[in-house]
């Protein structure tokens, strides 16, 4: 380190003397600027050595280190030929020949992407690899390509490998146990709920995943857990690139996708198409003890269920980037998605008295089918200037989603000893929905002073959900179906959110900061035509955020990050919808139009350290969050009918103290292990009528990911996770664990062909279990889906990247045309 600093000081002295000498003969004010970025993650390369070398003798003309954001700027450069050289430990040397002329006094090289260094050791091929994990001032970044166990899956399978992210048995996503908002390429997903959004994205099209636990004021405030940003692959280099993917799994799953882009000078066409068929089965078991027997003297109730489902989906997107010039780009994207499927549930019901003698039996059969076509359109504009870090972006997106759902319930009750049966209960349901989402946003960023930056913007969103649900009950007296006013519901819901924000960032020595605030005005209106009830809520909130990053002065590979932000959980359409879901006759679910938003305060401190010699990485931190008016589900027992009703409610204050530890260890150059441990203490404090729901607990989770790069281009990944029991307001989520194995074989030149074999849930241990304990009942509930399967996946890539591929033959006297959007490739 001392040698590097001495060398740098000497370089600066030489550069200064040389520039003074040149200035006597050349009063030029030519400036040269650029930014060094990690080619894999896009993260700035801090404190890299940047020098300009004279041609042809390679003597040093100018030198400096890159700033914390990776940028550099030389001023007062003399005209002439140079070589730009950027070096930093862990990266290959980057060199670029430049011809500096007085005709262009401000040369902006743009982003200069540095590749990770690699070597060949004995018979093991070791290549430059993308970092599997990196820490930035406001987010954690995970390389999706390194997740072998997700090959052939969807965005949901990618997130199953990310620390702190939880995916339950129904593929619902949460972050540290809280709700999460899904972004795609930095914009809110047009598909509504996170589950739907992720199931429509093939894993092979994802470049990286960004986990933002505490989003800054730039992002929308919705989602107590934070934001997960899915960054899709898209190449902008001149030429074409195509990736096709296909596979099958033992559980009856077939899928395929194609992802391609074509760059022709000012135009960049990109798109993808996917198709997927899925056949699944599952089972469930419930055992409830009624502490207060119902009117039929039922003290114990059990039910056993078996279910099958068949789902298919296909769709894709087509987009165009048009580079008007070096500073203006227009992007248009159109997406289409279609999903349909059917399912069948068979439920056996048993009603027992206090001596566990049967009172009656029931056999319930539920069948359903659905069809959901979705479209979404996005128009994006980006404007940059010759001023570094000055940018204006704006976009408008619109999605239009339809849905039709039909179901049929048939229940036959029988008394013991064939003493007689009642007429079966028959119910026929039809549902129609129409959801629209309009989103408009503009953001402006500009330098502020020598090291600062100011960004500001506004956003407007409008959601409209229309739902028409008709439940028909069969009347055996009239021999006809009749509409049930209690179960049917026709509902309209509108949500409008208007927001503005401002962020100011800068640096004071080794301390980088970003402070800002976001203002949101939300309006939530809903009306039930069938019940003549309405919801009309307006909320005005200010969401401050503070981010601090301190680079330790004596070790540039260590940093300390602090952040604070506020978030909000506004009740969604399904939670507010006041209709009764009686698909399970003994456990019905209802909405709650009186739900109010839950506001969360979040603090987090993280320490990160990179070890250049071993390439190991450490990130550890502590966090605290407090959610006021926390939204959770409460179950109550009707002591007359013996039916439980589950409803979302604003229950309590939820306080969470936690610690997180992640370490990536390179045991050998070809074997690394990433371990994550999370420990959390939570306390629920109820108030008023909910004071009895107060509870506290300690939970922890462990995730270990082992990656081996073996000879003959084999990659092996073994991933295991365990989460301890977690307490609910009325009970406990039981422990969950699982293990996945993935093997990938890469072949052909540039690894164009890859074959993957994955075994999911290797030990067949993943299941969903809960235990509820109240004054009225005790219930144990278990659900299991087919989670262990073998999946075979093939991926083939081909293409050609060549700046001259589509260039016409130039006449000798014809001027050279610069290509917009090709940062760092201009002729200078």
């Amino acid at each position: 380190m001392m040698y590097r600093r001495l060398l740098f000081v000497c370089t600066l002295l030489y550069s200064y003397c040389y520039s003074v000498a040149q200035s006597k003969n050349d009063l030029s004010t030519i400036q040269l600027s650029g930014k060094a970025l990690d080619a894999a993650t896009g993260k700035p390369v801090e404190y890299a050595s940047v020098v300009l070398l004279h041609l042809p003798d390679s003597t040093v003309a100018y030198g400096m280190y890159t700033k914390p954001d990776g940028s550099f700027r030389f001023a007062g450069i003399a005209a002439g030929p140079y070589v730009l050289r950027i070096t930093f430990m862990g990266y290959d040397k980057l060199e670029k020949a430049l011809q500096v002329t007085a005709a262009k006094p401000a040369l902006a090289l743009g982003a200069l992407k540095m590749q990770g260094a690699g070597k060949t050791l004995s018979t093991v091929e070791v290549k430059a690899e993308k970092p599997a994990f990196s820490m930035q001032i406001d987010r954690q970044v995970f390389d999706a390509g390194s997740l072998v166990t997700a090959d052939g899956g969807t965005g949901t399978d990618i997130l199953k490998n990310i620390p702190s992210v939880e995916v339950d048995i129904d593929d619902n996503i949460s972050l540290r146990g809280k709700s999460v908002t899904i972004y795609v390429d930095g914009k809110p997903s047009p598909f509504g709920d996170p589950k739907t959004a992720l199931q429509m994205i093939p894993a092979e099209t994802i470049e990286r995943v960004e986990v933002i636990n505490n989003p800054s004021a730039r992002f929308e405030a919705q989602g107590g857990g934070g934001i997960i940003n899915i960054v899709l692959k898209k190449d902008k280099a001149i030429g074409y690139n195509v990736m096709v993917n296909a596979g099958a799994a033992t559980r009856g799953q077939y899928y395929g996708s194609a992802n391609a882009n074509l760059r022709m000078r000012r135009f960049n066409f990109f798109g993808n198409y996917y198709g997927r068929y899925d056949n699944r089965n599952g089972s469930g078991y419930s055992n409830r003890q009624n502490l207060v027997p119902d009117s039929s003297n039922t003290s114990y109730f059990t039910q056993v269920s078996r279910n099958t489902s068949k789902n298919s989906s296909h769709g894709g997107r087509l987009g165009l980037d048009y580079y008007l010039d070096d500073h203006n780009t227009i992007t248009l994207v159109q997406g289409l998605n279609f999903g349909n499927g059917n399912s069948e549930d068979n439920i056996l019901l048993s009603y027992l008295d206090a001596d566990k003698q049967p009172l009656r039996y029931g056999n319930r059969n539920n069948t359903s089918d659905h069809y959901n076509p979705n479209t979404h359109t996005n128009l994006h504009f980006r404007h940059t200037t010759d001023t570094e870090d000055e940018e204006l972006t704006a976009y408008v997106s619109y999605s239009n989603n339809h849905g039709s759902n039909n179901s049929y319930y048939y229940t036959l009750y029988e008394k013991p000893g064939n003493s007689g049966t009642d007429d079966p209960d028959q119910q026929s349901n039809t549902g129609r929905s129409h959801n629209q989402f309009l989103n408009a946003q503009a953001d402006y960023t500009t330098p502020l002073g020598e090291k600062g930056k100011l960004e500001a913007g506004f956003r407007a969103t409008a959601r409209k959900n229309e739902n028409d649900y008709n439940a028909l009950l069969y009347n055996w007296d009239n021999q006809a179906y009749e509409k049930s006013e209690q179960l049917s519901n026709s509902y309209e819901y509108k949500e409008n959110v208007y927001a503005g924000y401002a962020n100011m960032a800068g640096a004071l020595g080794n301390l980088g900061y970003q402070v800002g605030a976001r203002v949101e005005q939300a309006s939530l209106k809903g009306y039930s035509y069938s019940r003549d009830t309405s919801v009309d809520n307006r909320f005005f909130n200010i969401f401050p955020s503070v981010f601090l990053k301190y680079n330790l002065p004596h070790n540039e590979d260590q940093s300390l990050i602090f952040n604070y932000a506020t978030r909000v959980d506004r009740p969604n359409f399904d939670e507010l919808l006041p209709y009764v879901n009686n698909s399970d006759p003994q456990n019905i679910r209802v909405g709650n139009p009186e739900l109010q938003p839950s506001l969360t305060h979040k603090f987090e401190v993280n320490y990160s350290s990179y070890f250049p010699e071993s390439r190991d990485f450490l990130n550890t931190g502590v966090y605290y969050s407090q959610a006021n008016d926390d939204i959770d589900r409460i179950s109550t027992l009707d002591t007359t009918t013996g039916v439980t009703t589950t409803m979302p409610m604003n229950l309590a204050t939820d306080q969470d103290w936690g610690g997180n530890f992640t370490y990536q260890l390179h045991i050998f150059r070809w074997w690394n292990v990433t371990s994550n441990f999370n420990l959390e203490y939570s306390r629920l404090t109820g108030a008023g009528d909910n004071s009895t729901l107060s509870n506290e607990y300690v939970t922890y989770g462990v995730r270990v990911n082992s990656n081996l790069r073996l000879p003959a281009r084999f990659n092996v990944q073994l991933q295991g996770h365990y989460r301890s029991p977690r307490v609910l307001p009325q009970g406990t989520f039981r422990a969950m664990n699982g293990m996945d194995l993935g093997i990938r074989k890469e072949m052909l030149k540039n690894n164009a062909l890859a074959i993957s074999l994955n075994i999911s849930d290797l030990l067949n241990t993943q299941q969903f279990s809960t235990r509820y304990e109240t004054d009225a009942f005790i219930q144990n509930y278990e659900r299991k889906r087919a989670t262990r399967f073998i999946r075979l996946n093939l991926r083939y890539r081909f293409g050609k990247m060549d700046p001259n591929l589509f260039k016409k033959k130039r006449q000798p006297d014809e001027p050279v045309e610069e290509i917009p959007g090709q940062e760092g490739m201009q002729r200078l």
Side-chain angles (χ1 to χ4, degrees), residues 692-732:
T692 58
L693 298 176
S694 298
N695 212 339
E696 56 186 325
Y697 61 96
V698 175
T699 186
Y700 65 91
V702 180
R703 186 181 296 271
V704 179
N705 196 325
S706 175
N707 297 277
L708 295 93
R709 183 177 290 276
L710 301 178
R713 292 187 282 182
F714 273 99
N715 296 331
V716 179
Q717 183 177 81
L718 183 65
Q719 185 270 135
H721 65 273
Y722 173 83
R723 193 207 70 198
S724 70
R726 171 177 291 168
V727 173
L728 297 168
Q730 292 181 298
T732 308

Short mmCIF file of all heavy atoms in Angstrom, two decimals, residues 692-732:
data_model
loop_
_atom_site.label_atom_id
_atom_site.label_comp_id
_atom_site.label_asym_id
_atom_site.label_seq_id
_atom_site.Cartn_x
_atom_site.Cartn_y
_atom_site.Cartn_z
N THR A 692 -54.64 -8.41 24.05
CA THR A 692 -54.30 -9.80 24.34
C THR A 692 -53.39 -10.41 23.27
O THR A 692 -52.88 -11.52 23.46
CB THR A 692 -55.57 -10.65 24.46
OG1 THR A 692 -56.31 -10.55 23.23
CG2 THR A 692 -56.45 -10.17 25.60
N LEU A 693 -53.19 -9.71 22.17
CA LEU A 693 -52.38 -10.25 21.09
C LEU A 693 -50.90 -9.93 21.26
O LEU A 693 -50.09 -10.24 20.39
CB LEU A 693 -52.86 -9.69 19.74
CG LEU A 693 -54.30 -10.04 19.36
CD1 LEU A 693 -54.68 -9.36 18.06
CD2 LEU A 693 -54.47 -11.55 19.25
N SER A 694 -50.53 -9.28 22.35
CA SER A 694 -49.12 -8.96 22.59
C SER A 694 -48.29 -10.23 22.63
O SER A 694 -48.69 -11.24 23.24
CB SER A 694 -48.97 -8.17 23.89
OG SER A 694 -49.67 -6.95 23.82
N ASN A 695 -47.12 -10.19 22.00
CA ASN A 695 -46.29 -11.38 21.90
C ASN A 695 -44.86 -10.96 21.59
O ASN A 695 -44.61 -9.86 21.10
CB ASN A 695 -46.81 -12.30 20.79
CG ASN A 695 -46.58 -13.76 21.11
OD1 ASN A 695 -45.72 -14.10 21.92
ND2 ASN A 695 -47.32 -14.63 20.45
N GLU A 696 -43.90 -11.82 21.88
CA GLU A 696 -42.50 -11.57 21.55
C GLU A 696 -41.80 -12.89 21.30
O GLU A 696 -42.20 -13.93 21.85
CB GLU A 696 -41.80 -10.78 22.65
CG GLU A 696 -41.84 -11.40 24.01
CD GLU A 696 -41.23 -10.46 25.07
OE1 GLU A 696 -40.28 -9.76 24.73
OE2 GLU A 696 -41.72 -10.45 26.20
N TYR A 697 -40.74 -12.83 20.48
CA TYR A 697 -40.07 -14.07 20.11
C TYR A 697 -38.71 -13.75 19.50
O TYR A 697 -38.42 -12.62 19.14
CB TYR A 697 -40.90 -14.87 19.10
CG TYR A 697 -41.16 -14.13 17.81
CD1 TYR A 697 -40.35 -14.33 16.70
CD2 TYR A 697 -42.22 -13.24 17.70
CE1 TYR A 697 -40.57 -13.66 15.51
CE2 TYR A 697 -42.47 -12.56 16.52
CZ TYR A 697 -41.63 -12.79 15.42
OH TYR A 697 -41.86 -12.12 14.24
N VAL A 698 -37.88 -14.79 19.39
CA VAL A 698 -36.58 -14.72 18.72
C VAL A 698 -36.59 -15.75 17.60
O VAL A 698 -37.00 -16.90 17.81
CB VAL A 698 -35.42 -15.01 19.69
CG1 VAL A 698 -34.09 -15.07 18.93
CG2 VAL A 698 -35.36 -13.97 20.79
N THR A 699 -36.17 -15.34 16.42
CA THR A 699 -36.10 -16.26 15.30
C THR A 699 -34.77 -16.07 14.59
O THR A 699 -34.12 -15.03 14.72
CB THR A 699 -37.25 -16.02 14.31
OG1 THR A 699 -37.23 -17.03 13.30
CG2 THR A 699 -37.13 -14.66 13.65
N TYR A 700 -34.35 -17.08 13.85
CA TYR A 700 -33.10 -16.97 13.11
C TYR A 700 -33.21 -17.77 11.82
O TYR A 700 -34.06 -18.66 11.66
CB TYR A 700 -31.90 -17.47 13.94
CG TYR A 700 -31.94 -18.94 14.28
CD1 TYR A 700 -31.33 -19.88 13.45
CD2 TYR A 700 -32.58 -19.38 15.44
CE1 TYR A 700 -31.36 -21.24 13.77
CE2 TYR A 700 -32.61 -20.73 15.76
CZ TYR A 700 -32.01 -21.64 14.93
OH TYR A 700 -32.06 -22.98 15.24
N GLY A 701 -32.36 -17.43 10.88
CA GLY A 701 -32.31 -18.13 9.61
C GLY A 701 -30.89 -18.31 9.14
O GLY A 701 -30.02 -17.45 9.37
N VAL A 702 -30.61 -19.43 8.49
CA VAL A 702 -29.28 -19.75 7.97
C VAL A 702 -29.41 -20.14 6.50
O VAL A 702 -30.32 -20.90 6.14
CB VAL A 702 -28.62 -20.89 8.76
CG1 VAL A 702 -27.23 -21.20 8.19
CG2 VAL A 702 -28.51 -20.55 10.24
N ARG A 703 -28.53 -19.60 5.67
CA ARG A 703 -28.49 -19.97 4.26
C ARG A 703 -27.04 -20.14 3.84
O ARG A 703 -26.21 -19.26 4.08
CB ARG A 703 -29.17 -18.91 3.40
CG ARG A 703 -29.31 -19.29 1.92
CD ARG A 703 -29.96 -18.16 1.14
NE ARG A 703 -31.31 -17.93 1.60
CZ ARG A 703 -32.38 -18.53 1.11
NH1 ARG A 703 -32.22 -19.44 0.16
NH2 ARG A 703 -33.58 -18.25 1.56
N VAL A 704 -26.71 -21.27 3.21
CA VAL A 704 -25.35 -21.56 2.76
C VAL A 704 -25.39 -21.93 1.28
O VAL A 704 -26.20 -22.75 0.86
CB VAL A 704 -24.71 -22.71 3.57
CG1 VAL A 704 -23.30 -23.00 3.06
CG2 VAL A 704 -24.67 -22.36 5.05
N ASN A 705 -24.53 -21.30 0.50
CA ASN A 705 -24.47 -21.53 -0.94
C ASN A 705 -23.04 -21.89 -1.31
O ASN A 705 -22.12 -21.08 -1.16
CB ASN A 705 -24.92 -20.27 -1.69
CG ASN A 705 -25.26 -20.56 -3.13
OD1 ASN A 705 -24.64 -21.39 -3.77
ND2 ASN A 705 -26.24 -19.84 -3.66
N SER A 706 -22.83 -23.11 -1.78
CA SER A 706 -21.50 -23.59 -2.14
C SER A 706 -21.40 -23.70 -3.66
O SER A 706 -22.24 -24.33 -4.31
CB SER A 706 -21.24 -24.97 -1.51
OG SER A 706 -20.00 -25.50 -1.94
N ASN A 707 -20.37 -23.05 -4.24
CA ASN A 707 -20.18 -23.03 -5.69
C ASN A 707 -18.82 -23.59 -6.04
O ASN A 707 -17.80 -23.14 -5.51
CB ASN A 707 -20.29 -21.60 -6.23
CG ASN A 707 -21.65 -20.99 -6.00
OD1 ASN A 707 -22.57 -21.21 -6.76
ND2 ASN A 707 -21.77 -20.22 -4.92
N LEU A 708 -18.80 -24.56 -6.95
CA LEU A 708 -17.57 -25.17 -7.41
C LEU A 708 -17.47 -25.05 -8.92
O LEU A 708 -18.43 -25.39 -9.64
CB LEU A 708 -17.47 -26.65 -7.02
CG LEU A 708 -17.41 -26.99 -5.52
CD1 LEU A 708 -18.82 -27.25 -4.99
CD2 LEU A 708 -16.54 -28.21 -5.30
N ARG A 709 -16.33 -24.56 -9.39
CA ARG A 709 -16.03 -24.54 -10.83
C ARG A 709 -14.98 -25.61 -11.07
O ARG A 709 -13.80 -25.44 -10.72
CB ARG A 709 -15.54 -23.17 -11.26
CG ARG A 709 -15.29 -23.06 -12.76
CD ARG A 709 -14.88 -21.65 -13.16
NE ARG A 709 -15.99 -20.74 -13.05
CZ ARG A 709 -16.92 -20.57 -13.99
NH1 ARG A 709 -16.87 -21.29 -15.09
NH2 ARG A 709 -17.88 -19.69 -13.82
N LEU A 710 -15.42 -26.72 -11.69
CA LEU A 710 -14.58 -27.90 -11.85
C LEU A 710 -13.99 -27.96 -13.25
O LEU A 710 -14.39 -27.19 -14.14
CB LEU A 710 -15.41 -29.15 -11.56
CG LEU A 710 -16.05 -29.22 -10.15
CD1 LEU A 710 -16.89 -30.47 -10.01
CD2 LEU A 710 -14.98 -29.16 -9.08
N PRO A 711 -13.03 -28.89 -13.46
CA PRO A 711 -12.47 -29.04 -14.82
C PRO A 711 -13.55 -29.38 -15.83
O PRO A 711 -14.66 -29.81 -15.49
CB PRO A 711 -11.48 -30.20 -14.65
CG PRO A 711 -11.13 -30.21 -13.20
CD PRO A 711 -12.36 -29.75 -12.48
N ALA A 712 -13.22 -29.21 -17.10
CA ALA A 712 -14.12 -29.48 -18.22
C ALA A 712 -15.36 -28.59 -18.18
O ALA A 712 -16.43 -28.96 -18.66
CB ALA A 712 -14.53 -30.96 -18.26
N ARG A 713 -15.21 -27.40 -17.55
CA ARG A 713 -16.28 -26.39 -17.52
C ARG A 713 -17.57 -26.90 -16.85
O ARG A 713 -18.66 -26.68 -17.33
CB ARG A 713 -16.55 -25.86 -18.92
CG ARG A 713 -15.41 -25.03 -19.49
CD ARG A 713 -15.78 -24.40 -20.80
NE ARG A 713 -15.72 -25.35 -21.90
CZ ARG A 713 -15.95 -25.04 -23.17
NH1 ARG A 713 -16.27 -23.80 -23.49
NH2 ARG A 713 -15.87 -25.95 -24.10
N PHE A 714 -17.42 -27.57 -15.74
CA PHE A 714 -18.55 -27.98 -14.91
C PHE A 714 -18.71 -26.99 -13.75
O PHE A 714 -17.73 -26.63 -13.10
CB PHE A 714 -18.33 -29.39 -14.34
CG PHE A 714 -18.79 -30.49 -15.25
CD1 PHE A 714 -17.88 -31.17 -16.04
CD2 PHE A 714 -20.14 -30.85 -15.31
CE1 PHE A 714 -18.29 -32.19 -16.89
CE2 PHE A 714 -20.55 -31.87 -16.14
CZ PHE A 714 -19.63 -32.55 -16.94
N ASN A 715 -19.92 -26.58 -13.49
CA ASN A 715 -20.25 -25.78 -12.32
C ASN A 715 -21.22 -26.57 -11.46
O ASN A 715 -22.23 -27.09 -11.96
CB ASN A 715 -20.91 -24.46 -12.71
CG ASN A 715 -19.99 -23.56 -13.49
OD1 ASN A 715 -18.79 -23.61 -13.32
ND2 ASN A 715 -20.55 -22.74 -14.37
N VAL A 716 -20.94 -26.63 -10.15
CA VAL A 716 -21.80 -27.34 -9.21
C VAL A 716 -22.19 -26.38 -8.10
O VAL A 716 -21.33 -25.71 -7.53
CB VAL A 716 -21.12 -28.59 -8.63
CG1 VAL A 716 -22.03 -29.29 -7.64
CG2 VAL A 716 -20.71 -29.55 -9.75
N GLN A 717 -23.46 -26.33 -7.79
CA GLN A 717 -23.95 -25.45 -6.72
C GLN A 717 -24.85 -26.25 -5.79
O GLN A 717 -25.78 -26.94 -6.23
CB GLN A 717 -24.72 -24.27 -7.29
CG GLN A 717 -25.20 -23.28 -6.23
CD GLN A 717 -25.90 -22.08 -6.85
OE1 GLN A 717 -27.07 -22.16 -7.20
NE2 GLN A 717 -25.18 -20.99 -7.00
N LEU A 718 -24.56 -26.16 -4.50
CA LEU A 718 -25.39 -26.79 -3.47
C LEU A 718 -25.84 -25.69 -2.53
O LEU A 718 -25.03 -24.97 -1.96
CB LEU A 718 -24.60 -27.86 -2.71
CG LEU A 718 -25.37 -28.64 -1.64
CD1 LEU A 718 -26.48 -29.47 -2.28
CD2 LEU A 718 -24.42 -29.54 -0.85
N GLN A 719 -27.16 -25.56 -2.38
CA GLN A 719 -27.73 -24.48 -1.56
C GLN A 719 -28.67 -25.07 -0.52
O GLN A 719 -29.52 -25.90 -0.82
CB GLN A 719 -28.49 -23.50 -2.47
CG GLN A 719 -29.04 -22.28 -1.77
CD GLN A 719 -30.46 -22.49 -1.25
OE1 GLN A 719 -30.76 -22.12 -0.11
NE2 GLN A 719 -31.31 -23.09 -2.04
N GLY A 720 -28.48 -24.68 0.72
CA GLY A 720 -29.33 -25.14 1.81
C GLY A 720 -29.78 -23.98 2.67
O GLY A 720 -29.08 -22.97 2.81
N HIS A 721 -30.97 -24.09 3.25
CA HIS A 721 -31.48 -23.01 4.10
C HIS A 721 -32.31 -23.60 5.24
O HIS A 721 -32.89 -24.68 5.12
CB HIS A 721 -32.32 -22.02 3.29
CG HIS A 721 -33.58 -22.62 2.73
ND1 HIS A 721 -33.62 -23.27 1.51
CD2 HIS A 721 -34.84 -22.68 3.22
CE1 HIS A 721 -34.85 -23.70 1.28
NE2 HIS A 721 -35.61 -23.37 2.30
N TYR A 722 -32.34 -22.85 6.34
CA TYR A 722 -33.16 -23.22 7.50
C TYR A 722 -33.70 -21.95 8.13
O TYR A 722 -32.96 -20.97 8.31
CB TYR A 722 -32.35 -24.00 8.53
CG TYR A 722 -33.11 -24.26 9.82
CD1 TYR A 722 -33.99 -25.33 9.92
CD2 TYR A 722 -32.97 -23.41 10.92
CE1 TYR A 722 -34.70 -25.57 11.10
CE2 TYR A 722 -33.69 -23.64 12.09
CZ TYR A 722 -34.56 -24.72 12.17
OH TYR A 722 -35.27 -24.93 13.32
N ARG A 723 -34.98 -21.94 8.46
CA ARG A 723 -35.58 -20.83 9.19
C ARG A 723 -36.30 -21.36 10.42
O ARG A 723 -37.10 -22.29 10.33
CB ARG A 723 -36.59 -20.09 8.31
CG ARG A 723 -37.02 -18.74 8.87
CD ARG A 723 -38.40 -18.35 8.40
NE ARG A 723 -39.41 -19.21 9.00
CZ ARG A 723 -40.65 -19.35 8.54
NH1 ARG A 723 -41.02 -18.71 7.47
NH2 ARG A 723 -41.52 -20.13 9.16
N SER A 724 -35.95 -20.82 11.57
CA SER A 724 -36.52 -21.30 12.83
C SER A 724 -37.99 -20.89 12.93
O SER A 724 -38.48 -20.08 12.12
CB SER A 724 -35.73 -20.72 14.00
OG SER A 724 -35.96 -19.33 14.12
N PRO A 725 -38.73 -21.43 13.90
CA PRO A 725 -40.13 -21.03 14.06
C PRO A 725 -40.28 -19.53 14.26
O PRO A 725 -39.41 -18.87 14.84
CB PRO A 725 -40.57 -21.81 15.31
CG PRO A 725 -39.66 -22.98 15.37
CD PRO A 725 -38.34 -22.50 14.84
N ARG A 726 -41.39 -19.00 13.74
CA ARG A 726 -41.69 -17.58 13.85
C ARG A 726 -43.09 -17.43 14.43
O ARG A 726 -44.04 -18.08 13.99
CB ARG A 726 -41.61 -16.90 12.48
CG ARG A 726 -42.12 -15.47 12.48
CD ARG A 726 -41.95 -14.82 11.13
NE ARG A 726 -40.54 -14.59 10.84
CZ ARG A 726 -40.08 -14.24 9.64
NH1 ARG A 726 -40.93 -14.12 8.64
NH2 ARG A 726 -38.79 -14.03 9.46
N VAL A 727 -43.19 -16.55 15.44
CA VAL A 727 -44.46 -16.40 16.15
C VAL A 727 -45.39 -15.46 15.40
O VAL A 727 -44.97 -14.42 14.88
CB VAL A 727 -44.21 -15.88 17.58
CG1 VAL A 727 -45.51 -15.55 18.28
CG2 VAL A 727 -43.43 -16.92 18.38
N LEU A 728 -46.67 -15.84 15.33
CA LEU A 728 -47.74 -15.01 14.79
C LEU A 728 -48.52 -14.38 15.94
O LEU A 728 -48.34 -14.78 17.10
CB LEU A 728 -48.67 -15.88 13.94
CG LEU A 728 -48.07 -16.54 12.71
CD1 LEU A 728 -49.02 -17.60 12.15
CD2 LEU A 728 -47.75 -15.51 11.66
N PRO A 729 -49.40 -13.44 15.65
CA PRO A 729 -50.21 -12.87 16.74
C PRO A 729 -51.01 -13.92 17.50
O PRO A 729 -51.24 -13.78 18.70
CB PRO A 729 -51.13 -11.89 16.00
CG PRO A 729 -50.36 -11.49 14.81
CD PRO A 729 -49.61 -12.70 14.39
N GLN A 730 -51.42 -15.00 16.81
CA GLN A 730 -52.23 -16.03 17.46
C GLN A 730 -51.55 -17.40 17.47
O GLN A 730 -52.20 -18.39 17.78
CB GLN A 730 -53.58 -16.16 16.76
CG GLN A 730 -54.48 -14.95 16.93
CD GLN A 730 -55.80 -15.15 16.22
OE1 GLN A 730 -55.85 -15.31 15.00
NE2 GLN A 730 -56.89 -15.15 16.98
N GLY A 731 -50.29 -17.47 17.14
CA GLY A 731 -49.67 -18.79 17.10
C GLY A 731 -48.25 -18.73 16.58
O GLY A 731 -47.52 -17.78 16.84
N THR A 732 -47.89 -19.77 15.79
CA THR A 732 -46.51 -19.92 15.37
C THR A 732 -46.43 -20.47 13.95
O THR A 732 -47.15 -21.42 13.61
CB THR A 732 -45.76 -20.89 16.30
OG1 THR A 732 -45.93 -20.48 17.65
CG2 THR A 732 -44.28 -20.92 15.97
#
